[in-house]
Amino acid sequence: MPRSRGLVIGFWIVTALFCLQMTFTAYAELRLPQVAEASAHLGFPDYFRVELSWVKLLGVVLLLAPVPAWLKEWAYAAFGVTLFSALIAHFAVGDALEVWIWAAASGVLWGLSYFLWRRLQAGQGSGS
């Protein structure tokens, strides 16, 4: 399947938006007291919030950098687990829609980015 220009552009737009969202949440988790309080509200220890922030930043680098496909797969998998876990945590404490909608919207961007990346990989024929 040949690469289409629209597919490439769509992938980069969605991936850039997703990476911006993940970078912003990592920054907010590290620097904004209200986000630290929200993390505590979900039942997470403070060290986990910091660890998660740095892992998000590493994942963003892996998605944007020219690294082997298996590293991108691991980054996408880690983001998927993170976003799904965030939704579970919000539901578990009874958060309202306006609280968990950001995790859901990020999940949609993640899914689109991953889907388009896989389509691009299939177009290359090499899987790398």
Side-chain angles (χ1 to χ4, degrees):
M1 148 184 0
R3 285 179 149 189
S4 76
R5 184 174 178 191
L7 184 64
V8 172
I9 291 170
F11 165 76
W12 282 111
I13 289 171
V14 170
T15 302
L17 290 172
F18 176 71
C19 288
L20 283 171
Q21 174 66 10
M22 289 298 100
T23 301
F24 172 75
T25 60
Y27 168 80
E29 288 166 349
L30 288 170
R31 305 295 293 170
L32 302 178
Q34 63 269 34
V35 178
E37 291 169 15
S39 183
H41 162 74
L42 294 173
F44 298 126
D46 201 47
Y47 69 85
F48 181 72
R49 173 184 56 83
V50 174
E51 175 186 334
L52 184 61
S53 299
W54 288 107
V55 169
K56 283 180 181 179
L57 293 172
L58 175 61
V60 166
V61 169
L62 291 175
L63 291 186
L64 297 177
V67 297
W70 66 270
L71 279 174
K72 288 192 189 290
E73 283 282 352
W74 277 99
Y76 276 115
F79 278 126
V81 169
T82 299
L83 293 165
F84 187 67
S85 297
L87 285 174
I88 290 171
H90 285 296
F91 295 151
V93 299
D95 281 340
L97 171 70
E98 61 269 8
V99 176
W100 58 261
I101 192 70
W102 292 104
S106 296
V108 170
L109 288 173
W110 165 81
L112 285 171
S113 175
Y114 182 67
F115 173 77
L116 294 171
W117 179 72
R118 294 295 296 179
R119 294 281 307 268
L120 289 172
Q121 290 297 5
Q124 285 182 353
S126 67
S128 57

